[in-house]
């Protein structure tokens, strides 16, 4: 059952943050277990899909907020409302939690009862003069202590899910969680959506600045950013997996020597084949009006080009390590 949503002024800014990590369980969750895992609310069902890949998304939860907005120019604009949060599971293996809100240019002159805000899910209303550019840069920069921090809300949902009894806390490979923080300002009248900036801000933080027509709902923008975060995490994880692995196949006639780390290299690469390589499906779940924004990332830095190079490197190395074993097997055959 959908929540009623009262009318609100057009948004001049939408912001959010995504947490992405490997699900800490030895075996990927099947679709029935995924539905159980993401059942955050009794009154709404988990969204399930098996095409083009297994995907499950929780219903949204709301968190009430009453605090200053982050701002790059140091202004202190108080805002009250609700932040929407949700979780998604891709192929029963990669977990994402995201939180987001939209911000109208004006709000009530005084604070209203919570009922006013609850019927406007995901809307945070400001008091005082609002400068969308300054707020967008403030959000992307992380703000100050006490400012609205959607990342904390996404992180809180993640922590809640990681305590679920379905998880055995035995992930099949080592990986690092990532954060993607985004802000979407209105596009110029008549202009389409554009991706103005994608930045690797820190080891685990990425920031995205967008321009989007006001008519596009913020949950679709959040869906685009979830997709960007998923594929950035895949790239990051495979790069780190390859880092430090000693490559180079010996001559076929060479016998294994003490310290030969060929089995270790194979063991290091196999989890990528088993759990990650089949997950690469950019824009599979992105709204059609936002899907072209992927073209920007395909040109520079070239997400899919880099992914294909990594996948080919892994497959080449596994093939090279298999050749000596085939030679030895041939020698032993009478």
């Amino acid at each position: 059952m959908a929540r009623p949503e009262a009318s609100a002024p057009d948004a001049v800014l939408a912001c959010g943050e995504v947490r992405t990590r490997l699900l800490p369980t030895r075996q990927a969750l099947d679709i029935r277990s995924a539905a159980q895992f993401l059942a955050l609310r009794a009154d709404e069902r988990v969204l399930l899909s098996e095409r083009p890949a297994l995907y499950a998304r929780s219903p949204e939860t709301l968190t009430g907020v009453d605090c200053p907005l982050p701002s790059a120019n140091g202004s202190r604009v108080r805002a009250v409302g609700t932040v929407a949060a949700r979780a998604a599971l891709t192929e029963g293996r990669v977990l994402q939690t995201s939180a987001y809100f939209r911000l109208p240019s004006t709000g009530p002159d005084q604070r209203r009862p919570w009922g006013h805000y609850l019927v406007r899910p995901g809307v945070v209303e400001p008091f005082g003069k609002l400068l969308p550019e300054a707020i967008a840069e403030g959000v992307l920069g992380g703000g100050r202590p006490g400012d609205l921090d959607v990342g904390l809300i996404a992180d809180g949902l993640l922590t809640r899910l990681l305590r679920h009894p379905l998880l055995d806390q035995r992930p099949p490979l080592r990986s690092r969680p990532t954060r993607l923080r985004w802000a979407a300002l209105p596009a110029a009248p008549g202009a389409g959506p554009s991706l103005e900036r994608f930045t690797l801000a820190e080891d685990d933080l990425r920031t995205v600045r967008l321009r989007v027509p006001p008519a596009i709902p913020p949950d679709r923008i959040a869906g685009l950013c979830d997709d960007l975060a998923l594929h950035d995490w895949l790239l990051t994880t495979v790069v780190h997996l390859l880092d430090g692995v000693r490559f180079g196949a010996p001559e076929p006639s060479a016998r294994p020597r003490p310290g030969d780390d060929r089995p270790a290299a194979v063991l290091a690469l196999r989890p990528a084949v088993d759990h990650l390589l089949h997950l690469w499906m950019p824009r599979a779940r992105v709204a059609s009006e936002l899907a072209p924004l992927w073209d920007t990332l395909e040109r520079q830095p070239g997400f899919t080009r880099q992914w294909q190079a990594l996948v080919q490197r892994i497959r080449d190395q596994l093939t090279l390590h298999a050749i000596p074993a085939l030679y030895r097997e041939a020698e032993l055959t009478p």
Side-chain angles (χ1 to χ4, degrees), residues 171-195:
L173 61 117
R174 292 183 178 181
S175 63
R176 306 177 187 178
T178 59
R179 300 174 291 153
L180 185 142
R181 192 178 293 156
W182 58 270
L185 291 152
S194 62
L195 196 158

Side-chain angles (χ1 to χ4, degrees), residues 54-323:
L54 179 63
Y55 177 80
R57 192 178 73 201
S58 75
E60 288 185 349
T61 63
L62 298 180
T63 300
V65 296
D66 182 348
C67 54
L69 293 167
S71 177
N73 65 2
S75 63
R76 302 289 283 179
V77 178
R78 178 187 172 196
V80 183
T82 60
V83 173
R86 64 191 187 190
L89 195 59
T90 300
E91 281 291 329
R93 178 54 70 196
V94 182
L95 174 62
Q96 293 183 285
T97 59
S98 62
Y100 62 92
F101 65 92
R102 60 188 172 106
L103 193 67
S105 58
T106 60
D109 295 332
Q110 59 185 358
R111 194 184 187 286
R112 300 289 180 86
W114 273 115
H116 168 85
Y117 303 104
L118 289 175
V119 296
R120 295 166 174 80
V123 176
V124 175
E125 298 180 341
F127 295 88
K129 186 177 181 181
L130 185 68
L131 298 175
E133 290 276 353
I135 302 300
E137 291 305 313
V139 168
L140 295 177
R144 296 169 292 188
D147 288 350
L148 175 56
D149 187 344
V150 289
L152 288 179
I153 296 173
D155 197 52
L157 179 55
L158 180 64
T159 300
R160 171 184 170 184
L161 288 169
L162 291 178
R163 297 188 182 122
H164 200 285
L166 280 173
L167 306 182
D168 60 22
Q169 307 302 325
R170 297 173 57 214
L173 61 117
R174 292 183 178 181
S175 63
R176 306 177 187 178
T178 59
R179 300 174 291 153
L180 185 142
R181 192 178 293 156
W182 58 270
L185 291 152
S194 62
L195 196 158
E196 292 188 333
R197 190 171 73 226
F198 180 91
T199 305
L200 301 180
E202 299 171 11
D203 286 345
D204 68 338
L205 175 64
R206 289 82 172 97
T207 61
V208 177
R209 179 181 160 113
L210 305 158
R211 291 278 179 181
V212 177
I216 296 180
D219 64 324
R220 297 188 184 180
I221 307 172
L224 165 71
C225 294
D226 289 350
D227 195 54
L228 297 180
L230 171 65
H231 291 85
D232 172 78
W233 180 86
L234 286 170
L235 271 176
T236 302
T237 300
V238 172
V239 167
H240 288 161
L241 192 65
L242 289 169
D243 188 31
V245 177
R246 294 178 59 189
F247 292 123
E251 293 297 325
S253 60
R255 296 181 180 275
R257 300 188 302 273
D260 190 341
D261 65 341
R262 281 177 292 164
V266 172
L267 290 174
L269 296 175
R270 181 170 177 175
V273 178
D274 290 343
H275 303 287
L276 302 180
L277 299 192
H278 62 291
L279 301 184
W280 191 263
M281 296 184 187
R283 54 187 131 193
R285 302 189 184 281
V286 176
S288 59
E289 62 267 44
L290 295 174
L293 295 184
W294 255 103
D295 295 338
T296 304
L297 294 175
E298 297 294 24
R299 290 191 299 269
Q300 184 68 33
F303 268 41
T304 297
R305 186 167 61 247
Q306 182 182 6
W307 177 258
Q308 290 172 342
L310 293 171
V311 169
Q312 190 60 52
R313 188 180 182 197
I314 289 171
R315 289 176 174 163
D316 288 345
Q317 289 299 322
L318 292 176
T319 300
L320 287 172
H321 286 302
I323 290 173

Side-chain angles (χ1 to χ4, degrees), residues 11-97:
V12 295
L13 181 64
C15 302
E17 191 161 331
V18 189
R19 297 284 198 270
T20 307
R21 62 160 295 152
L22 188 72
L23 193 70
T25 184
R26 194 69 181 173
Q27 297 295 328
L29 298 186
D30 59 28
I31 196 164
R32 182 175 300 178
S33 298
Q36 181 183 348
F37 177 66
L38 295 177
L40 301 181
R41 297 176 50 166
D43 60 334
E44 289 193 35
R45 298 177 61 183
V46 174
L47 173 67
L48 300 173
S49 175
E50 295 183 347
R51 300 289 185 274
L54 179 63
Y55 177 80
R57 192 178 73 201
S58 75
E60 288 185 349
T61 63
L62 298 180
T63 300
V65 296
D66 182 348
C67 54
L69 293 167
S71 177
N73 65 2
S75 63
R76 302 289 283 179
V77 178
R78 178 187 172 196
V80 183
T82 60
V83 173
R86 64 191 187 190
L89 195 59
T90 300
E91 281 291 329
R93 178 54 70 196
V94 182
L95 174 62
Q96 293 183 285
T97 59

